[in-house]
């Protein structure tokens, strides 16, 4: 059983910063891959940033490169998303996700989500 829980969302003005946190419980294999996704009502869920041990480095969506940083503590099974220079288009429900990696990472385990709202 894998459980993930995120926190740290809130409301900020454009240009501000927020830090999201995620904690995971479960087997190492089922939390091998972890990442952040976001979704706006009426749109598909978007992969924001992901990271796994032994990979070629974190993945970032083009829209957040240079502004967001994903940090993962493998021992503590925690993960953070540092979000700087936030833009109104970053407003969304953000989800922490975890999953195994076979040929590629999959993320079947999602948290409840934390809302990020960026106002102009």
């Amino acid at each position: 059983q894998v459980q993930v829980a995120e926190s740290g969302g809130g409301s900020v003005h454009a240009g501000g910063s927020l830090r999201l946190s995620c904690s995971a419980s479960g087997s190492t294999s089922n939390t091998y891959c972890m990442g952040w996704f976001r979704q706006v009502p009426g749109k598909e869920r978007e992969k924001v940033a992901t990271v796994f041990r032994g990979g070629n480095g974190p993945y970032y969506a083009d829209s957040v490169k240079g502004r967001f940083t994903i940090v993962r503590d493998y021992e503590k099974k925690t993960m953070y998303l540092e979000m700087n220079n936030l833009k109104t288009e970053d407003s969304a429900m953000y989800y922490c996700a975890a999953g195994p990696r076979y040929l590629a990472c999959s993320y079947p385990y999602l948290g409840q989500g934390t809302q990020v709202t960026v106002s102009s």
Side-chain angles (χ1 to χ4, degrees), residues 8-22:
S11 298
V12 295
H13 290 294
S17 298
L18 281 174
R19 186 192 198 210
L20 304 183
S21 301
C22 173

Side-chain angles (χ1 to χ4, degrees), residues 38 46-48 60-65 67-68 87 90:
R38 65 186 181 187
E46 176 189 15
K47 184 166 65 175
V48 176
Y60 293 100
D62 287 343
S63 57
V64 307
K65 281 181 181 176
R67 300 187 298 120
F68 290 13
K87 303 177 180 181
D90 293 319

Side-chain angles (χ1 to χ4, degrees), residues 2-8 20-25 31 34-36 77-80 94-98 109-114:
V2 177
Q3 292 185 325
V4 293
E6 60 280 272
S7 62
L20 304 183
S21 301
C22 173
S23 61
S25 63
T31 56
M34 290 188 70
W36 294 94
K77 290 187 177 179
T78 55
M79 182 178 64
Y80 307 93
Y94 282 72
Y95 297 90
C96 174
Y109 307 107
L110 265 66
Q112 294 296 311
T114 185

Side-chain angles (χ1 to χ4, degrees), residues 49-64:
T50 60
V51 65
F52 62 92
R53 194 194 300 261
N56 292 326
Y59 160 86
Y60 293 100
D62 287 343
S63 57
V64 307

